Structure formats: structure tokens, C-alpha cells
Amino acid sequence: MLTIWGRINSHNVKKLLWLADEIGLAYERRDVGGEFGFPDEYLAMNPNKLIPTIEDDRLVLWESNAILRYLAARYASGTVLWPVDPAARAVGDKWMDWQIGYADAQRTMFMQMVRVAPGDRDAEAIAASLKQATALMVILNGALEKTHWLSGAEFGLGDIPMGCYVNSWFQLDIDRPDFPALEDWYDRLKSHPAYAEHVMIPLS
């Protein structure tokens, strides 16, 4: 059985839980990271002190987007999650890599607003992070004005990484510009039961 190592409030773990349920994969999840720490058993598999990591048969794999690609290729080949046509896959694939840059932009404001007590927050750092994240959301909104999903005409793997981060964007107590296409995409994501269950949990 597939084992997913990582705490449920991690963006990168949410990705895997969401995909696994979209595919209908059975899995076991084990808490690690954050308050749970990194036991030696885990560090033997992943010395980076990061989550998630999976075990699938004899394969041990880390890096969340690499895991997404592996699971889709192994268990959903030929579906909208892993199209046979490489060009069709590439449409969404670029947004999976693009999400890494967005995560860097959002990280400071997320950490400051979610995991730092209000009286200890760095307002200037939050503002700088918000400015960077907003600039990237302008790009994302522009793309979604031209296509229904980041993966193309249908929901696909390319929607999952940024789908996890857009939930934080809308949950954080920040001043957000009006991005109609982004909001419409978020509403479509929320119609997926696995998204509601694994991604739309309180930020912590």
C-alpha cells in the first residue's frame, strides 16, 4: 500500500492527499514534520528534513511535484490527470514548476500571519511578501482568463499544486485585488470533494 509521510497542514502534503483521492488510491498517512519532528526512520529515507515522502512498493520518493507526476503516471495514465500526449501534459506541467516560485513569494506572509503571534509579526516583511505574491497572481489570473483550467480544457495535474496555494491566498487576512478569473477557478476547485476535504482545512 502507498504510504504518505507528512502532516496534514503542509501545502505539499495536501497536494498528494488530494491527488490520491482524485485517483481513488488507498494509502496510509503518517505524521512527520512540524510538531511531530523527524524521526531517524524518516531521515533515513529523506535526509532533507522536508515533507512529504512516499513509499510505494519498494520505491521511496520525495519532492512533492515529482511524487504527483509519479502517482499520476503509474495510476492514472491515459486520463486527464496524465494524458498520453506529451504536449497535453506539458500545458499543466509548466504550472507545477511555476508554483515553486509562487511558494517562495507567499512563504513569508504565510508564516508571519499563521505561525507568528500577532504582536510579534513583521509588518514590512508581510507587505513585501504580499507584493511579490500579488504580482504573480496577476500572471495567474491572466492565464485563467484564457483557459478554464491550468491544465487546459479540463481539470488536470497542473491544477493541483497552485490549487493548494490559492486556497491560502483566499484564506489569509490580506488585501486582495479583484481577480475574477482566479476566483472562478477557485470556485471550480472547491467543487471537488477531495479538495474540500484535504485542502480547505483551517490554516495552521
Side-chain angles (χ1 to χ4, degrees):
M1 177 184 290
L2 172 67
T3 301
I4 298 173
W5 293 78
R7 52 187 166 80
I8 62 171
N9 59 349
S10 159
H11 286 81
N12 289 332
V13 174
K14 292 175 182 179
K15 298 175 188 178
L16 307 192
L17 301 177
W18 176 12
L19 175 64
D21 279 5
E22 289 282 352
I23 297 174
L25 282 177
Y27 60 87
E28 175 186 0
R29 188 189 59 80
R30 298 185 183 179
D31 284 319
V32 70
E35 64 183 291
F36 303 102
F38 293 96
D40 291 343
E41 177 188 10
Y42 184 80
L43 293 178
M45 295 186 294
N46 184 348
N48 298 294
K49 287 193 175 181
L50 294 171
I51 53 175
T53 296
I54 66 163
E55 295 177 275
D56 191 39
D57 293 335
R58 288 175 290 180
L59 174 69
V60 172
L61 186 63
W62 34 266
E63 290 296 332
S64 61
N65 287 350
I67 296 170
L68 289 177
R69 294 180 179 105
Y70 162 75
L71 292 176
R74 179 169 185 183
Y75 295 107
S77 182
T79 73
V80 294
L81 290 167
W82 195 258
V84 174
D85 180 9
R89 289 201 305 269
V91 170
D93 198 34
K94 69 177 182 290
W95 290 107
M96 297 178 72
D97 290 343
W98 188 88
Q99 169 265 305
I100 297 169
Y102 179 81
D104 288 340
Q106 178 185 279
R107 182 173 291 109
T108 296
M109 69 175 181
F110 179 89
M111 297 297 291
Q112 286 283 320
M113 299 184 75
V114 175
R115 297 179 182 164
V116 174
D120 296 329
R121 292 174 185 167
D122 185 334
E124 290 187 4
I126 292 172
S129 178
L130 175 59
K131 182 178 180 180
Q132 293 174 350
T134 301
L136 292 173
M137 285 303 193
V138 170
I139 295 172
L140 189 64
N141 185 72
L144 288 164
E145 288 176 341
K146 301 172 184 176
T147 185
H148 210 56
W149 299 99
L150 296 182
S151 300
E154 298 180 273
F155 168 80
L157 196 65
D159 294 279
I160 289 178
M162 270 309 298
C164 291
Y165 280 87
V166 78
N167 178 67
S168 298
W169 169 261
F170 282 110
Q171 284 199 40
L172 287 170
D173 184 16
I174 55 176
D175 291 327
R176 288 179 292 272
D178 185 21
F179 290 140
L182 186 67
E183 292 174 13
D184 288 347
W185 178 60
Y186 184 47
D187 285 340
R188 291 193 293 275
L189 292 174
K190 289 188 287 187
S191 71
H192 286 243
Y195 186 81
E197 178 179 356
H198 297 296
V199 181
M200 297 184 66
I201 60 176
L203 300 181
S204 62

